[in-house]
Amino acid sequence: QLQLVQSGGGTVRPGESLTLSCTAPGVVLGYYPIGWFRQTPGKQREGVACINGEDERTYYVDSVKGRFAISRDSAKNAVYLQIDNLKPEDAAVYYCAARSTYTARTMCVVTPDEYNYWGQGTQVTVSS
């Protein structure tokens, strides 16, 4: 129904920046709350940020606050995650996810089980 397509990621050095993107061909993504998550081998998937569908308020976990920025570009029907000052502990596979508008909260959360549609993931590697 809703297919999320991710791009971006790659290998960067500590302190550098990159931007991840999430699109949904054929579907207006702006109506959906979008979350960004990351996962490393042997660990649970953790949320890092989200953006509301209606008012575009954002939320960040403490570990990324001030370095990560989530945004929308309606013209491109995309949601972005800009990551600044990358640290080695940021290395992971990053996923975008959308929550069904039927069950959307007033304020988005970054609990994986709250989301219904997932992108394919993109690798972020931080190497000196």
Side-chain angles (χ1 to χ4, degrees):
Q1 184 174 335
L2 177 60
Q3 295 182 324
L4 301 177
V5 180
Q6 297 180 231
S7 63
T11 301
V12 298
R13 296 179 179 181
E16 294 184 338
S17 302
L18 58 76
T19 300
L20 311 180
S21 68
C22 181
T23 63
V27 177
V28 178
L29 195 57
Y31 296 124
Y32 295 85
I34 301 296
W36 284 97
F37 302 81
R38 63 187 180 187
Q39 188 168 25
T40 55
K43 295 185 179 296
Q44 294 285 324
R45 188 170 299 181
E46 64 171 345
V48 296
C50 66
I51 184 169
N52 282 356
E54 295 185 352
D55 58 24
E56 298 191 1
R57 286 184 296 162
T58 58
Y59 168 80
Y60 304 90
V61 298
D62 289 343
S63 62
V64 308
K65 196 170 299 182
R67 298 189 299 114
F68 286 37
I70 189 171
S71 63
R72 292 183 186 270
D73 185 336
S74 60
K76 294 185 177 296
N77 193 38
V79 175
Y80 302 100
L81 182 68
Q82 180 177 331
I83 310 176
D84 295 330
N85 190 25
L86 275 154
K87 302 177 179 181
E89 54 263 40
D90 294 322
V93 175
Y94 282 74
Y95 299 87
C96 66
R99 183 186 175 111
S100 171
T101 57
Y102 291 112
T103 59
R105 295 172 176 264
T106 299
M107 181 64 216
C108 63
V109 297
V110 290
T111 303
D113 289 346
E114 294 276 331
Y115 291 80
N116 308 99
Y117 311 99
W118 292 84
Q120 80 278 17
T122 185
Q123 178 73 53
V124 173
T125 301
V126 183
S127 176
S128 61

